[in-house]
Amino acid sequence: RNSKHVPPPAEEVLGKTAVVETPIDPVHNTGRVKVCGESWKATADKPLPAGTECVVEKLDGVTLSVRAK
C-alpha cells in the first residue's frame, strides 16, 4: 500500500492564481475560472469580468470561491 499522501487536485488549487473564463455573477451564481490548466465553476463576492486575474480562496464541493487579485 502506498503511504504517500497525494492531495486531490482540488486542494492543489487553493491559493493559486486563476483567470476568469466566463464572467462571474454572484447574483446568478454563474461563472468559470481556469486554474492549473483546469476549468472550474466559480463564485466571488462581486462580479468579475472575463480575463480578470483572481486568487482561489476556498473550495465548496466542485465550486471555487475567488477574489480579484
Side-chain angles (χ1 to χ4, degrees):
R1 188 171 156 193
N2 190 349
S3 63
K4 266 211 277 197
H5 174 70
V6 178
E11 289 178 17
E12 293 175 2
V13 302
L14 292 175
K16 297 273 200 274
T17 297
V19 177
V20 178
E21 286 189 308
T22 58
I24 294 175
D25 181 350
V27 174
H28 296 101
N29 202 24
T30 58
R32 294 191 77 82
V33 298
K34 190 163 206 157
V35 59
C36 298
E38 296 288 323
S39 181
W40 293 80
K41 182 172 172 32
T43 62
D45 290 340
K46 57 186 180 182
L48 297 174
T52 303
E53 279 199 344
C54 51
V55 177
V56 178
E57 293 197 303
K58 69 178 186 178
L59 173 72
D60 181 16
V62 294
T63 303
L64 300 179
S65 291
V66 300
R67 66 171 166 79
K69 223 174 162 186

